[in-house]
Amino acid sequence: MNLQTKPQPHSVTNHFLSTVNENINRMKRDASQDAIVTSGTIEPALYFITETFREISRSYNNQLDSKFDTAYVYTEPKDLIKITSDRHAKFYKHILNQTVSSNHYPSRKKFYPVALSFIDLAGSRHHQSSFLKMPHVHSLFIIPPKSLDRFKLLVADNFRISDVYAKTRDVKTIHCERVEVDAARIDKIISYSSKFYRSNYAKILPEEIRSTIFSMHG
């Protein structure tokens, strides 16, 4: 199933760029108030991360309908979006647990990585998005300086992805690159990541589905 998904003008991304700037400034204020900054800076770090996921199979969840019996069959778009959103949320929780110790305490929230994430589809850059492949997720991660050292270790260890962990067993591949804190670069990343979110097709989805195409964690 191919969809006409030509994005709307990039001015739509201004809201997300503003959100990035607000979080960067908040993290800098928090870091400047800490007595010790492990990475020796008050500047947050930005990473562009793309996650791909395994195709849906019966082993993914025993409660899934029988239409999921094969390695991959056509699935309703709303179901694929929901499953992808859930998988990404698990992956973010994995990163949080590996990066911020004792993160259940409210006082530790200022050390949380912030992720602005968009579900995307194969072919969306050519305005021909397809639900015949599992959706993927593009994220811009903003890492507080005090969490940066542990995050770097996680990246170096391929995010410690393993079939053993429930939060990562559905992750197929991770592409991660550090990016400069530069408004033009951030705008380009958000524009690229939000192609499907800004598409005409996404705009006609029910709001409870469209609202999950973009997520913000942290």
Side-chain angles (χ1 to χ4, degrees):
M1 179 179 183
N2 290 324
L3 310 169
Q4 295 291 335
T5 55
K6 186 174 181 179
Q8 296 303 299
H10 289 183
S11 60
V12 176
T13 66
N14 287 347
H15 166 72
F16 300 113
L17 182 59
S18 175
T19 301
V20 171
N21 289 331
E22 288 172 6
N23 278 278
I24 289 174
N25 291 331
R26 189 260 305 167
M27 289 179 186
K28 289 169 71 173
R29 289 194 303 270
D30 289 343
S32 66
Q33 295 169 5
D34 288 334
I36 299 174
V37 180
T38 56
S39 59
T41 178
I42 66 168
E43 296 290 336
L46 268 59
Y47 286 80
F48 180 44
I49 298 177
T50 297
E51 309 148 45
T52 67
F53 300 99
R54 300 183 188 281
E55 306 293 4
I56 298 169
S57 66
R58 187 70 173 178
S59 62
Y60 167 71
N61 187 331
N62 291 331
Q63 296 178 353
L64 289 178
D65 189 85
S66 60
K67 65 185 175 182
F68 294 101
D69 279 340
T70 59
Y72 183 83
V73 295
Y74 174 73
T75 307
E76 287 295 325
K78 63 182 179 65
D79 294 331
L80 282 178
I81 291 171
K82 177 65 167 60
I83 291 168
T84 303
S85 178
D86 290 346
R87 288 176 169 184
H88 171 66
K90 290 179 182 178
F91 180 63
Y92 172 83
K93 183 64 174 176
H94 169 72
I95 290 177
L96 177 62
N97 290 343
Q98 297 289 320
T99 306
V100 183
S101 61
S102 304
N103 59 63
H104 55 286
Y105 290 112
S107 61
R108 305 288 288 172
K109 186 171 176 60
K110 64 182 179 180
F111 303 128
Y112 284 20
V114 171
L116 282 76
S117 307
F118 296 89
I119 293 174
D120 197 11
L121 303 178
S124 63
R125 74 171 70 184
H126 305 298
H127 317 315
Q128 288 289 325
S129 299
S130 173
F131 278 104
L132 295 179
K133 291 186 178 180
M134 196 67 199
H136 52 279
V137 175
H138 299 296
S139 299
L140 184 64
F141 271 74
I142 313 169
I143 311 299
K146 195 154 186 174
S147 304
L148 183 56
D149 288 345
R150 293 186 67 171
F151 184 81
K152 285 180 177 179
L153 291 174
L154 187 63
V155 172
D157 200 16
N158 194 33
F159 289 88
R160 301 179 191 131
I161 300 300
S162 171
D163 291 342
V164 175
Y165 303 132
K167 291 181 175 61
T168 65
R169 65 169 57 124
D170 296 312
V171 177
K172 185 177 181 180
T173 64
I174 301 290
H175 175 78
C176 176
E177 62 177 292
R178 187 165 179 173
V179 298
E180 295 297 322
V181 181
D182 173 77
R185 176 67 171 140
I186 295 170
D187 183 70
K188 185 175 291 187
I189 288 172
I190 293 174
S191 177
Y192 177 81
S193 301
S194 63
K195 300 185 299 298
F196 176 59
Y197 177 84
R198 294 181 288 109
S199 71
N200 292 330
Y201 177 81
K203 289 183 177 181
I204 65 173
L205 290 171
E207 182 56 29
E208 66 270 19
I209 301 300
R210 185 173 187 267
S211 63
T212 62
I213 298 175
F214 168 75
S215 64
M216 182 171 169
H217 298 276

